[in-house]
């Protein structure tokens, strides 16, 4: 049985679940935000007889001992009853998180995509960059600091060719509009004017890397799916192709990686204890692949929509077969012959 940990609004699982249903897979989706108000759990250690580990979802009992694979997609924090006081809500949330953490620990010997502790650790950019350098990727000169003097010194050493990005994702709604912080070039005047604001929160600065294009590399077990993104197609996307979702579309197509780069991708995931991940690379005008970041829980359905590569089919097979060495789905994989580096 598959256990899917996410919320009802997660668009990715809305594509994967129909594939699981078509293939006759047995699964249950656990929206952790509904715990403990709408979902019950029981962990019973008996003096005699068999212990009990179960959930009650929509009035149905789920025996967690039958779980073979866990998809740690996007579980939300437990939601206490709104009728409780603020202090009591804090208490309930902590107690609930304690139980859920215990469940994940009990299920730790099952096949996870990805192990929750490894996935959470891998989200941190300082750790990613250290591992990326260790496996031999080209990495931009980087500074993470809340010291204005260090920031200014880095800016000067890079001759003013610097970008700023968030260490964590940041987006909010302002009325009907979505606001987000994207990777942006740092202009000298604005930098000097706002330099003291560096003290307010840690910042990540990187040396600007000229681009021919960018790559989104989605790894599912031992299989690697590469999409080339023509980020230089538009002024809106040349510094951060993700802007295309809000402003203008950046064309992309199926591609491939040289074997040496594939080996480093797999080695990085292995060192981090992951079986899935979405890598972002810059391809420079002279053909070098420069590591930018790894998202251990990234979105990838858009890659299938725009390139035709059968990612849903492959991901659902990895879930069903419960191994990174899963065999090919029935539908043939697309292959691209061009290599970029």
């Amino acid at each position: 049985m598959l256990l899917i940990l996410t919320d009802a609004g997660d668009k990715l699982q809305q594509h994967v679940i129909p594939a699981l249903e078509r293939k006759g897979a047995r699964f249950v989706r656990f929206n952790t935000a509904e715990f403990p108000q709408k979902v019950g759990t029981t962990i019973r250690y008996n003096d005699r007889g068999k212990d009990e580990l179960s959930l009650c979802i929509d009035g149905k009992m789920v025996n967690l001992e039958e779980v073979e694979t866990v998809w740690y997609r996007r579980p939300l924090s437990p939601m206490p009853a709104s009728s409780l006081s603020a202090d009591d809500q804090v208490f309930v949330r902590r107690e609930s998180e304690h139980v859920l953490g215990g469940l994940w620990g009990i299920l730790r010997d099952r096949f996870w995509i990805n192990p929750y502790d490894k996935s959470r650790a891998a989200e941190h950019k300082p750790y990613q960059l250290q591992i990326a350098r260790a496996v031999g990727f080209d990495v931009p000169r980087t500074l993470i600091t809340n010291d204005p003097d260090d920031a200014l010194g880095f800016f000067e050493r890079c001759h003013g060719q610097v970008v700023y990005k968030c260490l964590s994702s940041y987006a909010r709604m302002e009325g009907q509009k979505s606001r987000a912080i994207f990777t942006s070039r740092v202009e000298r005047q604005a930098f000097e004017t706002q330099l003291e604001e560096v003290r307010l929160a840690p910042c990540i600065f990187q040396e600007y890397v000229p681009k021919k294009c960018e790559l989104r590399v989605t790894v599912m077990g031992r299989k690697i799916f590469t999409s080339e993104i023509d980020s230089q197609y538009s002024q809106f996307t040349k510094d951060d192709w993700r802007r295309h979702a809000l402003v203008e579309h950046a064309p992309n197509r199926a591609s491939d990686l040289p074997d040496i780069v594939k080996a480093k991708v797999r080695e990085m995931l292995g060192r981090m204890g992951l079986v899935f991940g979405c890598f972002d690379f810059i391809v420079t005008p002279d053909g070098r692949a420069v590591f930018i970041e790894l998202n251990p829980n990234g979105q990838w359905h858009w890659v299938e929509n725009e390139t035709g590569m059968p990612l849903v089919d492959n991901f659902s097979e990895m879930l069903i077969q419960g191994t990174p060495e899963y065999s090919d789905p029935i539908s043939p994989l697309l292959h691209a012959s061009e290599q970029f580096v």
Side-chain angles (χ1 to χ4, degrees):
M1 181 173 68
L2 310 175
L3 177 62
I4 301 173
L5 306 176
T6 192
D7 70 284
D10 173 29
K11 293 182 179 180
L12 184 56
Q13 57 93 24
Q14 293 172 2
H15 297 288
V16 174
I17 285 180
L20 295 174
E21 291 173 336
R22 288 194 301 269
K23 297 180 180 188
R26 186 165 167 249
F27 66 89
V28 62
R29 183 177 63 81
F30 177 17
N31 180 1
T32 50
E34 294 182 342
F35 179 71
Q37 301 308 305
K38 296 182 180 180
V39 176
T41 185
T42 297
I43 305 173
R44 193 192 314 276
Y45 299 108
N46 298 314
D47 293 336
R48 299 176 182 177
K50 191 174 181 180
D51 298 334
E52 181 180 350
L53 182 66
S54 64
L55 294 174
C56 182
I57 301 176
D58 296 330
K60 298 180 180 179
M61 295 303 298
V62 178
N63 182 3
L64 294 182
E65 295 290 352
E66 299 177 5
V67 171
E68 298 174 326
T69 297
V70 182
W71 181 18
Y72 191 80
R73 170 55 188 154
R74 287 196 172 170
L76 302 178
S77 296
M79 293 294 292
S82 59
S83 59
L84 296 174
S85 68
D87 288 342
D88 286 344
Q89 287 189 34
V90 170
F91 173 76
V92 169
R93 184 174 288 111
R94 287 177 178 172
E95 295 293 282
S96 301
E97 290 175 343
H98 187 97
V99 169
L100 294 182
L103 288 177
W104 312 156
I106 292 171
L107 297 173
R108 67 189 180 280
D109 60 343
R110 317 303 161 91
F111 179 65
W112 284 70
I113 307 175
N114 280 303
Y116 78 100
D117 55 335
K118 305 295 185 184
S119 182
R120 294 179 69 178
E123 292 174 352
H124 296 89
K125 287 185 173 62
Y127 176 45
Q128 289 182 21
L129 292 168
Q130 191 271 333
I131 300 296
R133 286 169 56 89
V135 303
F137 279 131
D138 283 346
V139 175
R141 284 200 288 182
T142 301
L143 176 71
I144 300 171
T145 188
N146 64 336
D147 186 319
D149 292 336
D150 282 346
L152 181 58
F154 182 78
F155 186 84
E156 297 296 348
R157 287 192 297 276
C158 294
H159 307 291
Q161 299 299 302
V162 172
V163 298
Y164 166 80
K165 65 174 81 172
C166 294
L167 287 161
S168 58
S169 60
Y170 177 83
R172 71 176 188 271
M173 294 299 298
E174 292 183 357
Q176 299 298 315
K177 294 184 178 180
S178 174
R179 301 291 186 184
I181 296 178
F182 296 102
T183 300
S184 302
R185 298 281 292 271
V186 178
E187 301 295 336
R188 178 176 291 275
Q189 181 176 357
F191 184 74
E192 292 177 347
T193 301
Q194 300 174 322
L195 186 59
E196 283 302 311
E197 295 181 13
V198 172
R199 297 186 190 277
L200 301 179
C203 302
I204 178 169
F205 300 101
Q206 289 187 313
E207 185 175 21
Y208 175 77
V209 178
K211 302 174 182 179
K212 174 186 175 183
C213 61
E214 296 181 62
L215 303 178
R216 166 55 71 96
V217 178
T218 305
V219 187
M220 297 178 177
R222 301 298 296 172
K223 295 182 173 64
I224 297 176
F225 303 88
T226 302
S227 173
E228 178 204 352
I229 303 169
D230 185 7
S231 59
Q232 304 309 287
Y233 167 82
S234 166
Q235 290 294 320
F236 290 114
T237 61
K238 64 183 304 182
D239 293 331
D240 193 327
W241 61 263
R242 295 173 300 173
R243 290 180 186 274
H244 81 80
L246 299 179
V247 182
E248 187 168 347
H249 180 72
N252 64 87
R253 63 186 179 89
S255 182
D256 199 4
L257 293 174
D259 289 342
I260 188 171
V261 180
K262 289 180 180 178
K264 291 176 182 178
V265 163
R266 292 186 176 111
E267 182 182 355
M268 183 167 176
L269 281 186
R271 290 196 185 199
M272 302 180 88
L274 307 176
V275 297
F276 166 85
C278 296
F279 289 76
D280 289 324
F281 292 92
I282 288 172
V283 178
T284 65
D286 61 356
R288 292 183 301 113
V290 180
F291 173 86
I292 299 301
E293 66 182 32
L294 163 65
N295 189 329
N297 209 356
Q299 299 282 12
W300 46 262
H301 189 257
W302 63 271
V303 176
E304 176 165 331
N305 281 343
E306 299 186 23
T307 67
M309 291 186 287
L311 273 67
V312 169
D313 212 10
N314 276 265
F315 192 81
S316 59
E317 283 298 326
M318 183 163 65
L319 284 171
I320 292 168
Q321 296 180 36
T323 173
E325 307 288 345
Y326 69 94
S327 56
D328 289 346
I330 296 175
S331 59
L333 294 177
L334 300 181
H335 296 280
S337 59
E338 184 173 354
Q339 295 186 345
F340 286 86
V341 290

